[in-house]
Amino acid sequence: MAIDIMHGIQDGVAVVTGGGSGIGRQSSLRFAEAGAKVVVADIDEDGGHETIEMIESDGGEATFVRTDVTDSDDVAAMVQTALDEYGGLDFAHNNAGIADEGAHLADYDEAEWDRMIDVNLKGVWRCLKAEIPEMIERGGGAVVNTSSAAGVSANGSAHYAASKHGVIGLTRRAMVDYAEDGIRFNAVCPGVIDTPMVQQAGEDNAEELDRITAGIPAGRLGDPREVTSSSP
Ligand code: NAD
């Protein structure tokens, strides 16, 4: 079935990585609310199951699949779940990510660099690689990759910023490669959003979070719903 993406996401099938928490949970809820069937993917099983319960208690349809985006077999199984459970794949929000600890670049080692890039950048590539052929099969689709304000500025530590700048380059090139296949690609670049990732950073360094919050024009952290909402 080729889906007409100009007419919304009702009856489509979506996968959301990092769907067990924060922005990914909110995205999963929004997809379900709009009538899509959702494959919620996360390395955190408890968080993933909680998201499913929230969707089902609102009358939506979703399946959780434990997925580590650093593992190509897991990512392939995630996409296969969309095919097996719901017959195809139309939408993806490649959102799973890890945060930095604010260290300067000479202060972390190669393993920390590799880990950041593996999850935040290569993880998105692994997802795209598995998702795109299935979207082509459906005649088109739409993808959102989560970058960050750190993807367009010098915010965050160097490896986090590099990973998020990379997500933007990957998204731009995917758009060129697959424009003729009817797949749209966008990256979202949130500022500081009130999610467990940021709450943890606040617990680790409350002063730093206060300083960051004071520098936000609205004077407050963003809400995950402000990232995933389609209304103004
Ligand atoms: P979060 O920690 O609340 O959620 C991230 C989710 O990703 C978690 O459920 C976690 O288990 C999952 N995850 C981590 N590593 C994974 C892996 N290897 N495989 C699969 N799942 C994995 O954080 P969030 O704030 O909702 O972040 C979501 C995305 O938004 C991340 O990519 C983050 O970099 C980005 N982002 C967040 C902010 C912010 O201020 N919160 C700002 C800009 C960008």
Side-chain angles (χ1 to χ4, degrees):
M1 175 194 73
I3 195 146
D4 184 351
I5 55 177
M6 299 309 288
H7 288 92
I9 58 183
Q10 198 178 2
D11 299 327
V13 181
V15 298
V16 180
T17 68
S21 179
I23 294 168
R25 167 170 292 168
Q26 203 49 239
S27 173
S28 303
L29 292 169
R30 281 289 299 129
F31 268 122
E33 202 179 288
K37 296 172 181 74
V38 191
V39 174
V40 175
D42 204 295
I43 199 168
D44 172 6
E45 298 194 21
D46 292 342
H49 286 300
E50 262 175 46
T51 302
I52 300 297
E53 279 166 29
M54 292 167 84
I55 289 173
E56 287 179 346
S57 72
D58 282 351
E61 214 176 317
T63 303
F64 172 68
V65 56
R66 187 202 172 275
T67 307
D68 181 346
V69 297
T70 69
D71 182 325
S72 297
D73 291 341
D74 273 16
V75 171
M78 169 186 87
V79 170
Q80 193 59 45
T81 301
L83 309 187
D84 293 346
E85 296 288 324
Y86 304 125
L89 181 65
D90 306 292
F91 310 109
H93 185 181
N94 300 315
N95 162 82
I98 53 174
D100 60 277
E101 277 97 49
H104 287 190
L105 76 86
D107 297 333
Y108 42 82
D109 60 25
E110 200 168 330
E112 288 170 283
W113 167 272
D114 286 348
R115 175 82 189 144
M116 184 68 78
I117 300 298
D118 202 18
V119 177
N120 285 7
L121 177 55
K122 198 170 173 189
V124 173
W125 172 78
R126 285 187 190 92
C127 291
L128 292 171
K129 188 169 164 52
E131 292 155 359
I132 287 168
E134 300 309 329
M135 290 183 181
I136 292 174
E137 189 69 27
R138 294 276 262 197
V143 176
V144 175
N145 297 324
T146 301
S147 176
S148 168
V152 288
S153 71
N155 289 352
S157 63
H159 56 350
Y160 185 79
S163 72
K164 294 301 186 178
H165 276 70
V167 167
I168 291 174
L170 188 57
T171 306
R172 285 192 164 131
R173 188 61 222 184
M175 183 261 290
V176 174
D177 286 353
Y178 295 102
E180 287 185 355
D181 295 298
I183 308 177
R184 294 183 297 118
F185 296 87
N186 285 280
V188 64
C189 299
V192 190
I193 308 299
D194 191 6
T195 67
M197 179 184 277
V198 165
Q199 288 151 13
Q200 181 61 49
E203 279 171 30
D204 296 344
N205 190 342
E207 260 178 44
E208 175 67 1
L209 187 59
D210 287 348
R211 191 188 62 74
I212 290 170
T213 307
I216 298 171
R220 62 167 179 83
L221 301 179
D223 184 292
R225 286 170 296 186
E226 292 172 294
V227 182
T228 60
S229 172
S230 53
S231 38

